[in-house]
Amino acid sequence: MSHADSMSYERYLPWRRWVEIGFWVAMIGANCVGNSITTVMDFRRGGSSIQAWEPVVWEASSGLMWLLVVLPAIAWYTRRFPFHWGNWRRQLAGYVGASVAVCLVHVAGMVALRIVAYRTQGMGYDFGPWPRELFYEYLKDVRSFVYIVVTMEGYRMLLRRWQGEASLLTEPDEGPPLEPVERPERFLVRKLGREFLVAANDIEWLQASGNYVNLRVRGHDYPLRSTIAGIEGKLDPGRFARIHRSYIVNLDQVASIEPLDTGDARIHLKDATALPCSRRYRSDLRERVGGENAVTGA
């Protein structure tokens, strides 16, 4: 990873959330405005008595549901269950089910908003026969769902390539491996077409994130396609310890362990990072990092 690449990614991070929100607001807002205008024009050509504000309410209610409810839900689902072409058959049923849930939530919410809007004008809103209209809305929503999933996964892939994506070293085609593959001493990181090695001992902590485990190294996260249990078995148990179902920590980085009233604990690292520690791991961790000398607040 070059210094320039690192700096550009670091400069982007404070703006990341605003860029992501702005992108979806712009996309959905433009779609709402465009659809409202064309719908009003179509009704005018047909001599309809529909008032101009009604298509605006239809599109705005739909857009608000996408922005405030549906998009955050899809973002959560795709982070929790990332789509991979390697096992797409296994994931297809889950994503189809998610698209149906998205449609039901979207339609129920937008109809409720339209009813409220029409009542403010002293009118009633009729959605029409629910089975037919739901099927019609699903045909539209499933296309939007696919577009959103593809966009989100593509964006995450670009971010991983920008910040660097880790992988385990594999057996060479010829000759013996340079180090044990079962317990690697280094990880290969690919970043913007470049490759470099990260020493396992330089990893400060690891966090599970869907089908990935993020390796924290000097303030940077490098996602590794693995489960937390799978990578735990490849790390040196004398240096790394499981502290939570989603976290592993480098023992050399632990500064103190803060007991909590719940029986859990908070792990304070030397760089001031705080990580959660489940009660099932607390006693073992305390012994490994120096007993009571490592505990604060006891």
Side-chain angles (χ1 to χ4, degrees):
M1 176 176 58
S2 70
H3 181 69
D5 292 337
S6 176
M7 290 299 294
S8 63
Y9 180 73
E10 292 295 332
R11 284 196 296 266
Y12 175 68
L13 286 180
W15 298 95
R16 175 179 173 179
R17 183 173 181 81
W18 295 108
V19 170
E20 294 168 356
I21 293 174
F23 172 80
W24 290 114
V25 169
M27 290 293 294
I28 292 178
N31 185 66
C32 287
V33 172
N35 286 347
S36 297
I37 293 173
T38 55
T39 301
V40 170
M41 292 175 63
D42 288 341
F43 278 124
R44 291 290 180 266
R45 288 172 180 170
S48 173
S49 61
I50 291 291
Q51 300 182 51
W53 63 265
E54 293 183 72
V56 175
V57 168
W58 302 342
E59 295 299 329
S61 60
S62 175
L64 283 174
M65 284 303 299
W66 279 108
L67 280 175
L68 301 180
V69 180
V70 179
L71 273 170
I74 295 177
W76 173 86
Y77 184 83
T78 53
R79 282 195 301 266
R80 181 66 180 84
F81 305 101
F83 189 84
H84 301 299
W85 286 108
N87 60 344
W88 67 269
R89 290 182 179 86
R90 186 187 308 172
Q91 293 183 292
L92 185 61
Y95 270 78
V96 170
S99 70
V100 172
V102 160
C103 178
L104 292 175
V105 171
H106 171 231
V107 172
M110 75 179 188
V111 168
L113 291 174
R114 291 173 186 179
I115 290 173
V116 172
Y118 271 69
R119 283 180 179 175
T120 63
Q121 301 300 313
M123 300 170 59
Y125 174 74
D126 181 19
F127 180 62
W130 274 86
R132 185 192 69 191
E133 295 301 321
L134 268 178
F135 179 70
Y136 170 76
E137 292 294 335
Y138 179 74
L139 293 180
K140 295 193 299 180
D141 285 359
V142 71
R143 289 178 294 173
S144 298
F145 178 81
V146 171
Y147 165 75
I148 291 170
V149 169
V150 170
T151 301
M152 286 183 173
E153 291 294 353
Y155 172 68
R156 288 169 185 155
M157 183 183 67
L158 290 176
L159 284 183
R160 289 196 298 268
R161 290 188 176 181
W162 194 2
Q163 69 180 333
E165 187 170 11
S167 63
L168 296 169
L169 296 181
T170 58
E171 298 252 9
D173 293 335
E174 298 181 359
L178 298 177
E179 60 186 49
V181 176
E182 296 78 13
R183 184 162 294 166
E185 299 172 2
R186 294 172 296 176
F187 292 84
L188 180 66
V189 172
R190 293 181 176 88
K191 180 181 175 67
L192 298 177
R194 302 170 183 167
E195 296 183 345
F196 63 99
L197 296 174
V198 169
N201 292 340
D202 287 341
I203 300 172
E204 297 156 12
W205 46 275
L206 305 89
Q207 179 186 14
S209 178
N211 289 348
Y212 285 86
V213 175
N214 288 323
L215 312 182
R216 185 72 170 183
V217 182
R218 301 187 188 93
H220 294 275
D221 291 319
Y222 301 115
L224 170 71
R225 193 186 296 272
S226 174
T227 62
I228 194 78
I231 194 62
E232 181 183 12
K234 293 182 177 294
L235 296 172
D236 181 359
R239 186 176 294 272
F240 290 90
R242 184 80 169 266
I243 59 172
H244 186 275
R245 63 186 178 88
S246 299
Y247 288 89
I248 296 174
V249 70
N250 185 332
L251 297 174
D252 291 339
Q253 298 296 321
V254 176
S256 63
I257 305 172
E258 177 187 359
L260 303 177
D261 294 339
T262 59
D264 297 329
R266 186 177 293 116
I267 309 301
H268 296 274
L269 305 187
K270 294 177 180 178
D271 65 354
T273 298
L275 302 178
C277 178
S278 302
R279 67 182 69 185
R280 61 176 295 192
Y281 300 107
R282 175 181 161 186
S283 297
D284 178 65
L285 178 66
R286 185 168 55 186
E287 293 176 1
R288 297 181 64 181
V289 296
E292 295 297 331
N293 291 332
V295 181
T296 64

